[in-house]
């Protein structure tokens, strides 16, 4: 049987993980200081292009009148208010430089690592840029505050809204999150998913581990290591490639405590691995709250 479908599925997942995991906290193209970023921003910012769905969502909630361009997103497209915003890219394609420049933006916000080439071109044209990474709850707050400073908006209502998402549990369960099957990848505490486990007070079994994965915040596990970890709670990420069903064919599957006690849960990629949007984050947090407040068998 050809291995091409498996390789294709793995390449797709690794690609989306690259976007989620290689961006650097909140950093302006010419400096890593958020405070310096706000000081070097134009006195009045009225036209902003967001190259990530999360940044577009934050801008829209802080001051939707200033969002003039964005990347296409299945997360935001159901909201008719985004229909009138010019799309500068679709899917995982690189944004169109021509479309961005035509919008005459004061500021462009994108993901470091993925958007570096086009951001460097924009910077050379004198357009202010902000490179972002959200790999922890604190970095979400920092990004929101940085964007609010650029827009001269008050971030407190949105920051207070975030606080309602997290309710730490007093019944920590040993947990393993698996985001890929070939290779088996699990997030440690330095990833967005891993930090969410920390926020909810659960015991991420690989939180402190460091591995050889090319993606920061993720480690590669063997089937033997999964069985050795033997989590009480197992969370699988649905990437639309049928990986969840394939996991059930693994020899270790029926031997896990999580499987035996019916504590295996499936999550969308957005919200848990890649923050994606505020609604996606809230949905993931609601699911985690339900899981970690469930009494142990």
């Amino acid at each position: 049987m050809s291995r091409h479908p498996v390789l294709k599925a793995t390449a797709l997942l690794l690609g989306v993980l690259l976007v989620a995991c290689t961006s650097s906290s909140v950093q302006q193209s010419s400096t890593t200081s958020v405070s310096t970023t706000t000081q070097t921003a134009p006195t009045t910012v009225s036209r902003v292009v967001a190259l990530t769905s999360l940044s577009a969502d934050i801008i829209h909630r802080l001051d939707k009148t200033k969002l003039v361009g964005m990347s296409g997103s299945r997360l935001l497209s159901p909201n008719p208010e985004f229909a009138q915003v010019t799309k500068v890219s679709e899917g995982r394609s690189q944004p169109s430089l021509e479309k961005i420049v035509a919008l005459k933006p004061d500021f462009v916000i994108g993901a470091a690592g993925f958007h570096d080439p086009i951001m460097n071109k924009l910077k050379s044209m004198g357009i202010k840029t902000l490179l972002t990474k959200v790999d922890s709850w604190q970095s979400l707050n920092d990004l929101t505050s940085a964007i609010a400073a650029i827009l001269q908006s008050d971030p407190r209502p949105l920051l207070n809204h975030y606080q309602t998402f997290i309710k730490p549990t007093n019944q920590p369960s040993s947990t393993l999150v698996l985001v890929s099957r070939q290779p088996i990848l699990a997030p440690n505490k330095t990833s967005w998913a891993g930090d969410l486990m920390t926020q909810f007070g659960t015991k991420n079994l690989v939180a402190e581990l460091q591995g050889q994965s090319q993606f920061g915040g993720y480690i590669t596990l063997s089937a033997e290591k999964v069985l050795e970890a033997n989590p009480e709670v197992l969370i699988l990420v649905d990437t639309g490639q049928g990986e969840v069903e394939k996991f059930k064919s693994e020899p270790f599957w029926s031997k896990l405590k999580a499987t035996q006690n019916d504590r295996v849960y499936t999550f969308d990629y957005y919200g848990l691995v890649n923050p994606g949007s505020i609604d996606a984050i809230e949905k993931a947090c609601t699911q985690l709250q339900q899981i970690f407040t469930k009494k142990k068998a």
Side-chain angles (χ1 to χ4, degrees), residues 175-221:
T175 303
L176 193 61
V177 180
L178 301 181
V179 305
S180 169
R181 192 176 70 93
Q182 291 187 343
I184 300 176
L185 291 176
N188 63 21
K189 67 179 182 180
T190 64
S191 66
W192 170 257
D195 189 68
L196 276 185
M197 301 302 109
T198 300
Q199 296 299 321
F200 276 90
T202 194
K203 182 182 179 182
N204 178 6
L205 292 173
V206 300
E208 302 297 333
L209 298 184
Q210 300 296 324
Q212 301 302 315
S213 170
Q214 60 181 303
F215 305 105
Y218 288 80
I219 66 168
T220 303
L221 297 177

Side-chain angles (χ1 to χ4, degrees), residues 62-90:
L62 291 173
D63 188 347
K64 61 184 179 183
T65 67
K66 295 182 179 179
L67 180 65
V68 298
M70 60 182 284
S71 57
S73 168
R74 70 172 175 85
L75 296 175
L76 303 181
S77 58
N79 185 339
E81 292 190 4
F82 287 103
Q84 304 305 316
V85 181
T86 299
K87 306 304 184 294
V88 298
S89 68
E90 292 293 340

